[in-house]
Amino acid sequence: TLKPGDQVMVASYDRSLHIRHPFSTDIDNVSLALDETQKLTGYAQTRELERSEMIREIYESTSLHSALFKASSFADNTRNEAEESIDGLREMLESLAGLPGRKMLVHVSDGLPAVPGQDLFQAVQQHYADQSALAEAMGYDLSQRYVHLIAEANSNRVSFYTIDAAGLRTQSGIGADTRAVNTPTGVNMAVDSIRTSNLQDTLINMADRTGGQAIFNTNDVSEGLQRATQDFNNYYSLGYRAPVSKRGRYHDIEVRLPGKEKGWRIRHREGYRDKPIENQMEDAINAYFVHGYQTNPFDASIEVGNQTRDSNGTFNVPIRVRIPIKSITLVPRPGVHEAQIQLYFSAVDEKGSKAPVAEMPLELRIPDESLEAAMEDELIRVINLTMKPGPHKFVVGVRDEVSEVRSIIGKYVTVGQQ
């Protein structure tokens, strides 16, 4: 259930991030995008068949070396897939960083392994009673990558709501068609139990430490999604004065509830990062490139001037930025009024190649006798860019260093055409 102003986006990850539907308040179009996403083919079934066959081969192997090789081979592939998923989630978190307000990321998967292949190494250990298998498994431990992912989510005000798409998991063991000879059922169940916790514990941890919720061991997620909706529409916002520190530091958060009232439970993100201003502006610029997010309290504008071609085939492109002076905070000084404005700008071409964010400081000094007339004027600056031919997205961030008011405005520019 969406409230006025709530927006939903649909994205998937298949070796790379795909925005299936941009942010929208139209729930019907979002539902259509979700239906289309459900039709996408994943690798879970293929990976499950490979896992069952690998466990059978481990139990039928004749040497520890051979069994470890099989477990390591499977763990290598699983680790690559897990790291790709983590990279996709980080890419999404980075794109959401510059968007205002609270953000909920509903992540649907068959689980994210904390230690890829851990259950196969456990099978080797049980079959050969050799502890070296478990030591080998720890070489695949991805726990620190998930710690960084959670910190990234908290820094960008994103809460994870994770869904285990496998639903109600059962102890699959190894079926009659793949069961190894003389393999006790209890051994199979123990290996399956380790696999389940290995996949689900990460989802639970991601949700708990960002103030969200995990939905798992159920074939009906509607109740869990309803709880998530209630979270988003009903919450307390607590403010406090943070200690003075260097920008960029990560701060832990602890919230205590006085008393031990029954039925009350606190969920909150475990920390936040005090990002430097430059990083905040870069986040906002990136949000424009990915999601088209713009905000313009300055009522600023940008326009493209006449392009000129260089001998090497690139073009000089002048971008004129206009900022109404009446929207700028002016500080009175003896005989003058002053302002400090910072411009941030970047561009991305049709192939996704992005120019580094550049900065341009602006100083404004208006004599007292000219102040009234200046209120009807504009602060104008020209940014001269060297760009390759073709379509580009160009964005300018404007920040008032006194009031901290910010604008993010973008424009599509076709270089090589007037």
Side-chain angles (χ1 to χ4, degrees):
T1 302
L2 297 178
K3 295 188 305 180
D6 287 349
Q7 299 195 54
V8 178
M9 176 184 67
V10 179
S12 65
Y13 190 84
D14 178 14
R15 309 301 182 190
S16 62
L17 185 64
H18 301 282
I19 305 298
R20 301 294 174 180
H21 194 285
F23 276 110
S24 172
T25 57
D26 189 333
I27 194 62
D28 291 332
N29 284 336
V30 169
S31 296
L32 289 174
L34 286 171
D35 290 340
E36 290 299 316
T37 303
Q38 282 184 320
K39 300 175 184 177
L40 298 175
T41 302
Y43 302 95
Q45 187 173 5
T46 300
R47 183 62 68 209
E48 180 63 27
L49 292 174
E50 291 176 354
R51 172 184 175 271
S52 296
E53 177 64 18
M54 195 67 70
I55 290 180
R56 185 187 66 80
E57 293 181 7
I58 287 172
Y59 284 135
E60 294 180 350
S61 63
T62 57
S63 72
L64 173 63
H65 176 77
S66 173
L68 282 175
F69 178 81
K70 296 179 186 300
S72 297
S73 177
F74 185 86
D76 284 335
N77 292 332
T78 306
R79 178 175 59 187
N80 290 338
E81 292 177 355
E83 289 185 329
E84 287 179 352
S85 296
I86 293 171
D87 290 340
L89 285 169
R90 290 203 66 175
E91 185 178 348
M92 176 57 70
L93 291 173
E94 289 171 0
S95 78
L96 296 174
L99 300 179
R102 300 173 68 244
K103 287 151 282 191
M104 171 194 298
L105 197 161
V106 180
H107 173 68
V108 183
S109 70
D110 285 316
L112 291 171
V115 182
Q118 184 182 34
D119 51 327
L120 271 70
F121 287 108
Q122 180 67 28
V124 174
Q125 190 274 331
Q126 289 182 341
H127 186 53
Y128 287 97
D130 192 306
Q131 295 297 320
S132 64
L134 299 184
E136 187 86 9
M138 296 317 297
Y140 292 88
D141 187 3
L142 296 177
S143 58
Q144 282 304 306
R145 290 216 61 186
Y146 291 116
V147 168
H148 294 315
L149 183 71
I150 290 167
E152 184 86 13
N154 285 330
S155 297
N156 299 332
R157 298 187 68 190
V158 179
S159 295
F160 279 118
Y161 285 76
T162 54
I163 300 176
D164 181 3
L168 184 60
R169 291 180 182 265
T170 59
Q171 298 296 339
S172 59
I174 301 178
D177 55 338
T178 57
R179 184 180 299 280
V181 178
N182 298 326
T183 303
T185 301
V187 172
N188 297 330
M189 294 181 64
V191 170
D192 269 359
S193 178
I194 289 172
R195 174 179 182 249
T196 297
S197 61
N198 187 37
L199 293 173
Q200 290 184 343
D201 287 353
T202 303
L203 299 181
I204 296 170
N205 201 29
M206 287 166 56
D208 286 348
R209 295 175 64 181
T210 60
Q213 296 188 56
I215 303 172
F216 58 98
N217 288 344
T218 178
N219 293 327
D220 183 3
V221 301
S222 58
E223 182 178 346
L225 290 176
Q226 184 61 35
R227 292 197 305 269
T229 301
Q230 292 172 352
D231 277 1
F232 211 63
N233 294 334
N234 301 279
Y235 60 92
Y236 286 99
S237 181
L238 304 177
Y240 65 97
R241 184 181 297 277
V244 177
S245 65
K246 293 181 179 180
R247 291 280 189 176
R249 179 181 173 186
Y250 192 85
H251 299 269
D252 294 328
I253 296 175
E254 182 179 0
V255 180
R256 297 193 186 103
L257 182 67
K260 300 291 183 181
E261 294 88 346
K262 282 188 176 181
W264 289 91
R265 180 169 174 259
I266 296 176
R267 282 188 292 105
H268 62 89
R269 65 181 70 259
E270 67 172 18
Y272 72 97
R273 189 176 305 283
D274 192 10
K275 288 189 176 183
I277 296 298
E278 292 74 18
N279 291 150
Q280 295 177 31
M281 295 302 295
E282 288 180 13
D283 288 343
I285 285 173
N286 192 43
Y288 169 76
F289 287 143
V290 179
H291 305 295
Y293 169 73
Q294 300 187 67
T295 180
N296 194 10
F298 279 113
D299 197 25
S301 62
I302 53 178
E303 56 189 40
V304 182
N306 294 326
Q307 306 173 24
T308 57
R309 184 185 180 94
D310 288 332
S311 58
N312 60 3
T314 60
F315 284 79
N316 293 317
V317 183
I319 307 289
R320 185 175 290 105
V321 182
R322 297 177 177 270
I323 310 169
I325 292 178
K326 64 183 178 182
S327 66
I328 299 173
T329 300
L330 297 169
V331 179
R333 305 293 187 194
V336 298
H337 282 68
E338 298 179 344
Q340 298 284 334
I341 300 294
Q342 194 81 5
L343 298 183
Y344 304 81
F345 52 93
S346 181
V348 62
D349 63 21
E350 60 182 337
K351 296 180 180 180
S353 179
K354 184 170 61 175
V357 176
E359 299 180 33
M360 177 185 291
L362 304 179
E363 293 186 359
L364 182 62
R365 293 172 58 88
I366 303 175
D368 289 347
E369 61 272 17
S370 305
L371 183 61
E372 184 175 353
M375 290 295 102
E376 303 301 321
D377 205 351
E378 295 176 316
L379 173 61
I380 301 175
R381 287 294 184 273
V382 176
I383 301 172
N384 292 299
L385 301 176
T386 300
M387 306 176 75
K388 295 179 180 180
H392 296 257
K393 287 181 184 179
F394 177 77
V395 61
V396 172
V398 183
R399 180 174 68 88
D400 189 324
E401 294 193 1
V402 176
S403 67
E404 281 296 335
V405 173
R406 305 170 191 183
S407 283
I408 299 293
I409 46 177
K411 193 176 187 69
Y412 284 88
V413 179
T414 301
V415 177
Q417 296 182 9
Q418 297 292 338

